[in-house]
């Protein structure tokens, strides 16, 4: 499987646009934990994930984090090339959450293709709309959903992503995902444990009653 | 001043694209308070503001509001035509905050122009990136800025928009803008009044010490 198979609008590009991209892409592998992009000054380029997992988050002045969204195989990371659009005025951090292999299209190459190709521009639009929708969902969660629901949601999502009920994650890390201090996470996890919904041990949260978690989310 | 002068990429469109838009746009005037768009099922079309002011907000199940952004003369309202992009999965409400006159481009017409015109697609991209940035700013405000700063910010912005220090606005309405219950707004306004920063009377908030407000915002 090559780049062409992973890039959705490849066949809608002209031969010269295809050539321009082919001649300029690179492939990179990074270990888990690598920060690939940090703030709007950084213009790494567009990343197209071959395998792995990236996390996009924002960071407060005091070092608090909140996860905006995650990217998986075949996803395109647009905001690592935020300089291609002058209207993008916010800083996000992109970090590899697993060992990740990706293609990288230099920002100025993608920009020049997008400027002349309506399919590429519309594809970019759809990606941005998609990320926008994820961020809007997050706002509604933060504003209107209480923390027990958000934590239950997070544990279920994490369990689906990892394919296991035994999550290797610290309370600190959960706090970073949800934008809450560690103490708030610990308090709620202990509440869940007393209710026999999870079992806690050092660095691990084991989900023991998924149905109850779904109930808390309001899904049942 | 006609539509052509208000629509930034007009001259980058082909004559046939210009014709398609010209033949299908309409102009409409609505009084203050009119809801122009309500949720993602509603696909009114793109609105280009000639004069007036629109407010975009989200609404919780319990009826709480929070203002996402405002649109002024020459701004283009994209999310009133959210059906043109399948990835837009959130519901916003667009309401005229003043008497407003605008052109309306039917969604399917704009979509068909955008599909073939790279300039139109890239222009749409920039608008979306712009709104995205405003929403990201809002998230950071909500997550990381304390309410006194947010209220001070809001009063300064409102005063700049209205061109007066005497704001005719209820505590309820401020709460809707900021996503907080009325009681929280009232408590903080009373605190500001005790500090001689504002003077409150029925339906009015008068700013009496702008420097202090700026100080609270951290601008000084």
């Amino acid at each position: 499987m090559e780049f062409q198979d992973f890039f959705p609008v490849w066949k809608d590009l002209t031969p010269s646009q295809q050539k321009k991209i082919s001649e300029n892409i690179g492939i990179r592998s990074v270990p888990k934990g690598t920060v690939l992009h940090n703030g709007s000054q950084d213009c790494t380029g567009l990343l197209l994930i071959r395998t792995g997992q990236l996390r996009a988050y924002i960071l407060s002045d005091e070092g608090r984090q909140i996860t905006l969204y995650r990217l998986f195989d075949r996803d395109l990371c647009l905001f690592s090339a935020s300089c291609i659009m002058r209207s993008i005025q916010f800083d996000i951090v992109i970090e590899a959450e697993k060992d990740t292999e990706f293609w990288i299209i230099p920002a100025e190459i993608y920009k020049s293709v997008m400027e002349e190709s309506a399919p590429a521009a519309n594809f970019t639009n759809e990606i941005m709309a998609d990320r926008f929708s994820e961020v809007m969902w997050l706002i509604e969660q933060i504003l209107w959903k209480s923390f027990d629901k958000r934590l239950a949601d997070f544990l279920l999502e994490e369990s689906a992503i990892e394919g296991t009920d035994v999550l290797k994650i610290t309370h600190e890390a959960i706090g970073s995902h949800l934008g809450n201090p560690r103490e708030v996470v610990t308090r709620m996890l202990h509440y869940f444990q007393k209710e026999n919904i999870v079992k806690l041990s050092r660095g691990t949260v084991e989900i023991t009653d998924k149905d109850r978690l779904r109930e808390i989310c309001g899904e049942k």
Side-chain angles (χ1 to χ4, degrees), chain A residues 7-38:
Chain A
F7 191 66
V9 290
W10 181 259
K11 60 179 194 315
D12 301 319
L13 301 179
T14 65
S16 83
Q17 290 160 354
Q18 291 178 346
K19 185 161 175 278
K20 189 186 261 179
I21 291 181
S22 296
E23 287 177 352
N24 288 286
I25 49 168
I27 191 152
R28 243 181 97 189
S29 291
V30 295
K32 178 179 165 172
T34 310
V35 170
L36 292 167
H37 173 81
N38 194 351

Side-chain angles (χ1 to χ4, degrees), chain A residues 169-197:
Chain A
I169 192 164
T170 63
H171 302 186
E172 185 80 41
I174 297 174
S176 288
H177 281 287
L178 301 175
N180 293 87
R182 189 193 54 73
E183 301 72 42
V184 174
V185 176
T186 300
R187 199 184 322 132
M188 189 63 77
L189 281 173
H190 280 129
Y191 165 78
F192 282 1
Q193 179 163 256
K194 272 192 288 183
E195 299 283 307
N196 296 316
I197 301 169

Side-chain angles (χ1 to χ4, degrees), chain A residues 25-82:
Chain A
I25 49 168
I27 191 152
R28 243 181 97 189
S29 291
V30 295
K32 178 179 165 172
T34 310
V35 170
L36 292 167
H37 173 81
N38 194 351
S40 65
Q41 298 312 307
D42 203 0
C43 205
T44 324
L46 268 90
L47 314 179
L48 179 61
I49 305 180
R50 189 171 175 165
T51 55
Q53 187 172 316
L54 303 181
R55 180 169 78 99
Y57 61 93
I58 48 175
L59 201 59
S60 75
D61 295 340
E62 295 83 31
R64 285 177 64 194
Q65 303 182 359
I66 189 163
T67 299
L68 295 176
Y69 50 81
R70 272 117 159 228
L71 299 171
F72 304 94
D73 298 4
R74 295 185 167 270
D75 278 338
L76 191 78
C77 179
L78 188 62
F79 293 118
S80 51
S82 54

